Amino acid sequence: MFEEEEKSHLQQLPQTRYKLAEWKTAKVQLNYHIQIERMYYSVPYDYVREQVDVRLTTDLIEVYFKEARIASHKRLMGEVGQFSTNRDHMPDNHRLYLEHNPENNRKWAETIGPSMVRFVSYILETNAEKKALNILSALRNLSAKHTRDELETATHKLLEISTNPTIPVLKGILDRRKKREQKSNVDNHRINNNNHGFTRGAKYFGEDKK
């Protein structure tokens, strides 16, 4: 009976074994992670404070919000308190902080010029890493107000005049240069206005009468 009628209807076994799943609910914490069995998994920052559904298998964690999957992680094993964090889930300010390390600061300096590379290296070599990164954060904030050429020129000047270069001295150099440029622009404006002024002829003053 099996050989004659049933065998031809059998289907091939699936390539992967069926995985038993367990479902839990969790609340997204302010640090955009959920806690599952004393392990922490990130979800997109937009879901902070939301209640989510979590599907657990032996090797995977999947997070759902209103039936849509918003995150998945390899399931953490071993010592409790571990974190699995996807950088794409972070708010922008957290991602920038994560990328704020010595290597990335050196790469940033290379985009400015050789003097900036020397200055950044000096900061990293003469300070503890945490303090150096705080100093470099202030340095990089200057790039929002000044061009690369301005920063490189000012840093070159800083290294020429100081054996202990600092951010306040660099700011002073940049500010003085900016003031000189503004004064020069004002002077040029006055000169141009004088050159194009209206000149009254002799007739205006009555000296051309006959």
Side-chain angles (χ1 to χ4, degrees), residues 6-122:
E6 297 178 354
K7 184 176 181 180
S8 61
H9 296 285
L10 293 178
Q11 296 183 357
Q12 186 177 358
L13 291 174
Q15 296 294 322
T16 56
R17 295 180 60 184
Y18 175 75
K19 296 181 180 180
L20 293 175
E22 178 184 3
W23 286 87
K24 293 180 180 289
T25 59
K27 187 172 183 178
V28 182
Q29 302 172 5
L30 293 177
N31 66 355
Y32 51 90
H33 286 71
I34 58 172
Q35 177 183 316
I36 298 294
E37 297 180 348
R38 300 172 70 185
M39 300 292 192
Y40 299 89
Y41 304 88
S42 68
V43 302
Y45 181 74
D46 296 339
Y47 296 95
V48 165
R49 293 194 176 96
E50 297 287 2
Q51 199 80 14
V52 295
D53 297 310
V54 185
R55 182 177 182 269
L56 296 82
T57 64
T58 55
D59 56 359
L60 190 68
I61 294 282
E62 296 177 295
V63 186
Y64 291 81
F65 180 71
K66 295 182 179 179
E67 300 184 359
R69 191 175 76 168
I70 60 174
S72 64
H73 296 267
K74 183 177 179 181
R75 192 166 180 176
L76 296 172
M77 300 293 179
E79 184 179 355
V80 299
Q82 297 181 60
F83 280 76
S84 177
T85 305
N86 184 332
R87 289 176 55 180
D88 292 336
H89 295 164
M90 295 179 167
D92 290 342
N93 60 324
H94 286 205
R95 194 178 300 117
L96 286 172
Y97 178 80
L98 183 69
E99 296 171 351
H100 186 51
N101 56 49
E103 181 59 28
N104 282 341
N105 276 281
R106 292 183 191 276
K107 289 179 180 178
W108 169 79
E110 290 173 359
T111 69
I112 304 299
S115 295
M116 185 61 77
V117 171
R118 287 174 54 203
F119 186 33
V120 168
S121 295
Y122 171 81

Side-chain angles (χ1 to χ4, degrees), residues 176-191:
R176 286 192 294 274
R177 175 172 176 168
K178 185 70 71 175
K179 288 177 181 178
R180 285 197 301 270
E181 289 178 352
Q182 290 172 347
K183 184 177 184 303
S184 176
N185 290 337
V186 170
D187 291 342
N188 288 336
H189 181 70
R190 287 174 178 169
I191 292 171

Side-chain angles (χ1 to χ4, degrees), residues 148-162:
R148 292 179 180 178
D149 287 342
E150 288 172 343
L151 286 173
E152 175 63 12
T153 301
T155 305
H156 180 75
K157 181 68 174 179
L158 172 68
L159 297 177
E160 278 188 338
I161 65 174
S162 177

Side-chain angles (χ1 to χ4, degrees), residues 198-209:
F198 178 74
T199 304
R200 296 179 173 91
K203 288 183 178 180
Y204 179 84
F205 297 99
E207 297 177 0
D208 196 32
K209 293 180 179 177

